[in-house]
Amino acid sequence: MPLWSLPRADSTTMASPLPPCTAVIYSALAIVALLLLSATAVNASQGDKEPVYQGCVTQCVRTNCTGARLRGFQSTQAPYMALTGWTCRDDCRYQCMWQTVGLYQAEGYSIPQFHGKWPFARFLCFEEPASALASLLNGLACLLMLLRYRSSVPRQSPMYYTITAFSLVSLNAWFWSTVFHTRDTYLTEKMDYFCASAVILYSIYLCCVRTLGLKRPGVSSMVGVLLILAFTSHVSYLTFVSFDYGYNMAANATIGIVNLLWWLCWCWQNRRTLPYWWKCGVVVVLLHGLALLELLDFPPLFWVLDAHAVWHLSTVPVHFLFYSFLIDDSLHLLNTEKTGVKLE
């Protein structure tokens, strides 16, 4: 989802209060700092380091995942489990995870994470049922509002194709988010992370086109090339150098804050001329505020609902307000262009 606007220094007196854009900068930087601190706090996975867990997995694989036992497992495995790539070793890890959790609870210790994640109760083939459902709902909301946008806004609107492309990039990201939370593998994890980064970078481009590109197309084209290069470098580093979670969080948070500032300052500058400006401002604040839900990071309620799922669920309604803004703004731009008035 998009967000953001670069502040312009506009102080006229030495003793005046902080300009609105300056206040936004400080708030945004505080959010980044909190998110980065949370990223470093969840790297350790105590559960899968436990000897009891490791021994359980080793014994289970040796006993059940070779020869006739393996063929028996494969013959009785549900088709949807086989289609989503669940193996005998995966099933051993799942069963041993719950044995280890039971021992922790019996001794009165707090619930540990395993392989960087909380223990979740599997539903059918879904590893993280609540997060998968939330991602699907976000994708459906995005699709519904894209269809509404295309039926409400003529193609002649200056932002029509840019917004349509952004929606397709977002739909792709929500698709891979759903797949990743259904089945966490080497491929699905990377696609989830890379597609999320693509949305954030395209958000910058969307903001650039709206605020600068309509009057200076060359500027938005140049920014677009730079963003493609940035995305290529980001993906290459994570793929061929190091899949560094902290770096990925820092990169996405930094880009998101640029987007945040850019949009909010644009909202402030147009608050007297565009009656729908507040929709963009509310969306921006909500998206970044809701991201702080990740800081809660609690063991899943009923082994299903964790902070990440709550975050995804909370963003579903934001799509409706955001596209309401995009529709209002696109129609405004179209009418402005028809009357020959200079675009904002």
Side-chain angles (χ1 to χ4, degrees):
M1 290 254 73
L3 304 134
W4 328 250
S5 185
L6 289 175
R8 201 182 339 185
D10 190 28
S11 57
T12 56
T13 61
M14 293 293 291
S16 60
L18 285 176
C21 288
T22 303
V24 168
I25 291 175
Y26 291 149
S27 300
L29 291 176
I31 292 175
V32 171
L34 288 171
L35 288 175
L36 293 180
L37 286 173
S38 72
T40 60
V42 297
N43 284 336
S45 298
Q46 181 62 35
D48 57 273
K49 295 178 181 177
E50 286 290 344
V52 64
Y53 170 81
Q54 295 176 353
C56 174
V57 173
T58 300
Q59 180 62 31
C60 178
V61 170
R62 184 184 299 120
T63 304
N64 300 306
C65 300
T66 57
R69 289 287 188 92
L70 176 60
R71 291 191 292 272
F73 169 83
Q74 294 170 337
S75 65
T76 58
Q77 187 181 33
Y80 56 80
M81 295 292 285
L83 286 173
T84 49
W86 283 93
T87 66
C88 181
R89 174 179 288 274
D90 294 329
D91 200 61
C92 283
R93 289 172 60 172
Y94 181 76
Q95 300 300 333
C96 291
M97 175 185 74
W98 287 114
Q99 288 187 30
T100 307
V101 169
L103 292 174
Y104 265 71
Q105 289 181 310
E107 297 294 330
Y109 296 114
S110 58
I111 304 300
Q113 291 189 344
F114 294 81
H115 305 286
K117 303 168 69 172
W118 292 111
F120 290 93
R122 190 172 63 194
F123 175 71
L124 299 178
C125 59
F126 296 93
E127 277 190 79
E128 300 176 45
S131 290
L133 176 62
S135 297
L136 177 63
L137 291 176
N138 274 282
L140 291 175
C142 184
L143 176 61
L144 175 64
M145 295 311 295
L146 170 60
L147 296 175
R148 183 175 298 179
Y149 177 86
R150 290 170 64 89
S151 65
S152 304
V153 178
R155 297 188 178 188
Q156 293 75 23
S157 178
M159 291 293 294
Y160 181 88
Y161 291 104
T162 304
I163 290 172
T164 299
F166 170 76
S167 300
L168 295 176
V169 172
S170 298
L171 282 171
N172 179 62
W174 286 119
F175 167 78
W176 282 108
S177 178
T178 304
V179 171
F180 170 64
H181 291 304
T182 298
R183 185 73 177 95
D184 181 357
T185 67
Y186 177 83
L187 173 64
T188 61
E189 180 182 44
K190 280 183 165 47
M191 291 303 297
D192 177 51
Y193 278 71
F194 296 163
C195 292
S197 297
V199 173
I200 298 172
L201 286 167
Y202 200 98
S203 298
I204 289 276
Y205 180 71
L206 176 69
C207 183
C208 179
V209 172
R210 176 59 184 92
T211 58
L212 298 175
L214 297 179
K215 294 184 292 185
R216 305 178 185 86
V219 173
S220 59
S221 297
M222 183 171 61
V223 170
V225 171
L226 292 175
L227 291 174
I228 290 173
L229 291 175
F231 179 71
T232 303
S233 300
H234 180 68
V235 170
S236 298
Y237 177 80
L238 291 175
T239 303
F240 301 114
V241 179
S242 172
F243 197 78
D244 188 328
Y245 294 93
Y247 156 75
N248 184 72
M249 171 70 81
N252 287 336
T254 301
I255 297 167
I257 289 305
V258 172
N259 223 348
L260 167 71
L261 300 177
W262 204 331
W263 273 120
L264 282 184
C265 288
W266 177 85
C267 290
W268 179 260
Q269 292 163 1
N270 290 278
R271 68 192 185 282
R272 292 190 176 91
T273 57
L274 302 178
Y276 53 83
W277 70 269
W278 64 270
K279 296 180 181 180
C280 179
V282 170
V283 167
V284 165
V285 171
L286 279 177
L287 285 175
H288 284 80
L290 292 173
L292 295 177
L293 288 171
E294 286 278 77
L295 298 177
L296 299 178
D297 197 35
F298 51 83
L301 301 175
F302 308 108
W303 306 115
V304 173
L305 189 67
D306 69 331
H308 188 79
V310 173
W311 173 37
H312 277 340
L313 286 169
S314 66
T315 60
V316 174
V318 180
H319 293 276
F320 298 95
L321 184 59
F322 178 61
Y323 276 89
S324 175
F325 159 73
L326 293 178
I327 291 171
D328 290 344
D329 193 54
S330 295
L331 293 175
H332 165 75
L333 291 173
L334 181 62
N335 293 332
T336 300
E337 192 176 62
K338 286 181 178 179
T339 56
V341 178
K342 186 178 179 181
L343 294 174
E344 296 90 346

